[in-house]
Amino acid sequence: MTGPIGDLIVSDMAKFSTDLDSAFSALADPTRRAIVGCLCEGPKTVSELSAPFEMALPSLLKHVQVLEHSGLISSEKIGRVRTCRLDPHALQATEAWLRQHIATWERRLDRMEAHIARMKRKD
Amino acid sequence: MTGPIGDLIVSDMAKFSTDLDSAFSALADPTRRAIVGCLCEGPKTVSELSAPFEMALPSLLKHVQVLEHSGLISSEKIGRVRTCRLDPHALQATEAWLRQHIATWERRLDRMEAHIARMKRKD
């Protein structure tokens, strides 16, 4: 498809791909996965998030920034307190990508099993 | 938990975490996700995998190596032909991690909704 609509679809697909790149990349770190895990239970301030980690605050803030940049979380600073919350859409998009591909693989297995069963009946 | 069993559990958890690190990291690239997508439909030789990509074979082989190292795929060379196949366990482990965390987030939403409904009934 060419023209403005085609360009829009290609640009949307490229954006979706970039979003997946940065979401998967952000999740490739145990500290960032632990932060996402904490935020699944509700919004937390940066100091609440830092409590379980033996890590200097600037290092934790870098992880928070990577997660924000990937769209997995968002944060808001009121006064001196920054509160982080999960943005579920990026997490759901990553899970949907994996789920769809696992389903494709499982359908192939089902077809193979059905084929083997047919061959056995013929014998 | 301390002692040999505790150490074993900690070492298993660390291995699981490292496995997730390398699986998420491997999936943070559109070419590697496309290779995984192809292999969900069945084993492919490296030249079959390279067909849809405008990419030199050595570059494609590097992506194949990253995917193998992450445990997402395996490959076997017979004569001059290397055949790649999906190893579903790593894909399933990554999806399970995401699914569990999305479920935690959804349960929290359900509890919040139930709480709001109770407050409304009280009013």
Side-chain angles (χ1 to χ4, degrees), chain B residues 31-32 35 54-65:
Chain B
T31 306
R32 291 198 289 267
I35 294 174
E54 289 176 6
M55 189 179 278
L57 206 61
S59 307
L60 188 92
L61 276 171
K62 272 189 196 159
H63 285 304
V64 167
Q65 276 168 4

Side-chain angles (χ1 to χ4, degrees), chain B residues 69-122:
Chain B
H69 179 73
S70 74
L72 286 160
I73 72 167
S74 61
S75 81
E76 190 188 14
K77 197 171 184 181
I78 298 176
R80 292 168 61 86
V81 178
R82 180 172 293 280
T83 302
C84 303
R85 60 190 73 237
L86 186 79
D87 184 345
H89 299 105
L91 210 62
Q92 284 162 338
T94 339
E95 196 269 338
W97 188 92
L98 288 161
R99 186 164 23 87
Q100 281 162 15
H101 284 81
I102 291 170
T104 303
W105 182 80
E106 286 173 343
R107 277 197 300 273
R108 184 186 154 259
L109 275 201
D110 289 346
R111 281 197 303 272
M112 273 175 63
E113 274 178 22
H115 178 73
I116 291 166
R118 271 198 306 276
M119 299 296 281
K120 273 188 181 165
R121 277 201 299 275
K122 275 189 187 172

Side-chain angles (χ1 to χ4, degrees), chain B residues 13-51:
Chain B
M13 281 172 65
K15 190 189 170 304
F16 178 68
S17 184
T18 316
D19 290 349
L20 280 180
D21 287 3
S22 55
F24 275 120
S25 175
L27 290 167
D29 177 278
T31 306
R32 291 198 289 267
R33 286 199 302 278
I35 294 174
V36 168
C38 286
L39 296 179
C40 283
E41 289 167 8
K44 302 261 186 306
T45 65
V46 168
S47 43
E48 283 170 334
L49 277 180
S50 73

Side-chain angles (χ1 to χ4, degrees), chain A residues 31-49:
Chain A
T31 305
R32 290 198 290 268
R33 286 199 301 279
I35 294 174
V36 167
C38 284
L39 295 180
C40 283
E41 290 167 8
K44 301 261 186 308
T45 65
V46 168
S47 41
E48 282 170 335
L49 277 179

